[in-house]
Amino acid sequence: GDISKGVTRVLVTHHVHVLARCDKVIMLEDGRIKHYGSFEELQAQGVDFAGAVDFDGEEEITNSENEVQVPEAAAKSTDKADLKEKADMKEKGENLTTKEEREEGAVDGSLYLKYAKAGGTITFFNMFAVAGVGRGFEVFAAFWLAFWAKRSVESSLEGMTLSDDEHTYYLNIYAVLGMGGVACLALRAVCMSLHRLRASRLLHEELTQSILRAPVAFFDVTPIGRILNRFAADMDKIDLDLTQSISQGSSTTFSVIGALAAIVVATKG
């Protein structure tokens, strides 16, 4: 276009099929210029572009006419040498990339603290506090229902029945306790959502900054798929699996604590 008109553009490539579109072609070997000229000029000189294209057609014809049959044993030895050379090159190529580091064993507690700070420490611990209060409402509601039933049985044994006002009183208290448990569950879900969004946003920004500021050597030895996994699979674990694990863990913990507390109270120690 007009913007790049009159501007010299340098294309560094190993794709031979685009060389015909270039005004000048420079071939480098060992850091020095080996061939220079237009694509047609180099083609006329019979230059072999890194073995990708063979332009010396006449020499091929001559060689094919004077072709001498190679012994079968020599051909086999040549094939074995080529296979060995390819295997060595493949092994060297694999050694260029660094092996992915994996932590094994239990997760360090400092990582949980870092995750808690990423989303807000107060919000993180409020999740557990609200979950504990909600479990307390549920346990107390069960005890209140038992107390209501006991009062009803005692009144029946005495030849009396609870009045409508007394039933309404017990029912209102039970309803308040039930609604309190539901409200705590809803509040815990809100706290978890806020914490998850903040933590995910901050960790994603830190990951992006680390990748953008990484030296070029890092991308030479690190496969692109490994980098994409950090943004895809690993972030998915933080967004979904980690939050679900924390939710299930806290629910199980407070359920056990609530059951133990109920047993202690019911048996009076």
Side-chain angles (χ1 to χ4, degrees):
D2 296 335
I3 298 178
S4 59
K5 185 177 181 181
V7 177
T8 301
R9 285 159 289 178
V10 179
L11 173 65
V12 181
T13 181
H14 61 277
H15 294 287
V16 182
H17 63 277
V18 300
L19 297 181
R21 302 180 181 181
C22 301
D23 297 329
K24 296 294 181 180
V25 178
I26 300 176
M27 280 191 62
L28 299 178
E29 183 175 334
D30 297 330
R32 297 179 179 275
I33 298 177
K34 185 178 181 181
H35 299 287
Y36 172 76
S38 64
F39 181 76
E40 292 76 9
E41 293 173 353
L42 297 181
Q43 184 178 5
Q45 296 174 9
V47 176
D48 183 7
F49 292 94
V53 178
D54 190 0
F55 298 106
D56 198 355
E58 296 180 357
E59 185 177 350
E60 279 190 4
I61 297 174
T62 305
N63 290 338
S64 62
E65 293 176 353
N66 300 327
E67 183 179 2
V68 179
Q69 185 176 2
V70 181
E72 184 177 355
K76 290 183 177 180
S77 62
T78 303
D79 293 339
K80 291 181 179 179
D82 293 340
L83 292 175
K84 184 178 180 181
E85 183 178 359
K86 291 180 179 179
D88 293 339
M89 293 178 64
K90 183 178 180 181
E91 183 179 358
K92 291 179 180 179
E94 292 177 351
N95 293 333
L96 290 177
T97 59
T98 58
K99 294 183 178 180
E100 186 174 4
E101 298 180 357
R102 291 180 177 270
E103 295 288 344
E104 297 181 355
V107 179
D108 192 6
S110 60
L111 296 180
Y112 288 107
L113 292 177
K114 183 177 181 180
Y115 177 73
K117 293 179 180 178
T121 307
I122 297 177
T123 306
F124 183 77
F125 287 105
N126 278 341
M127 292 189 303
F128 297 96
V130 173
V133 173
R135 183 55 181 168
F137 276 119
E138 295 175 5
V139 173
F140 194 72
F143 277 101
W144 184 257
L145 186 61
F147 178 72
W148 182 8
K150 180 181 178 181
R151 288 285 298 136
S152 180
V153 171
E154 289 177 352
S155 299
S156 298
L157 293 176
E158 294 175 358
M160 301 173 58
T161 57
L162 296 177
S163 62
D164 292 340
D165 292 338
E166 290 177 318
H167 279 297
T168 303
Y169 169 74
Y170 289 117
L171 181 61
N172 290 336
I173 297 297
Y174 183 74
V176 169
L177 293 175
M179 293 177 62
V182 174
C184 288
L185 289 176
L187 184 58
R188 188 192 70 165
V190 172
C191 291
M192 292 184 65
S193 299
L194 292 175
H195 184 272
R196 176 172 57 186
L197 289 174
R198 293 173 184 171
S200 179
R201 185 182 297 110
L202 180 61
L203 295 176
H204 189 275
E205 289 177 355
E206 291 181 353
L207 177 60
T208 304
Q209 291 294 330
S210 299
I211 295 298
L212 294 178
R213 296 180 179 180
V216 179
F218 170 78
F219 299 96
D220 293 336
V221 298
T222 305
I224 191 64
R226 190 181 303 172
I227 299 176
L228 293 178
N229 281 336
R230 295 295 180 268
F231 287 94
D234 292 351
M235 291 303 302
D236 182 72
K237 295 291 183 183
I238 295 175
D239 294 340
L240 300 178
D241 295 349
L242 183 57
T243 305
Q244 292 179 359
S245 298
I246 293 175
S247 176
Q248 295 175 0
S250 62
S251 298
T252 303
T253 301
F254 285 112
S255 295
V256 173
I257 294 175
L260 293 176
I263 293 173
V264 171
V265 174
T267 58
K268 297 181 179 179

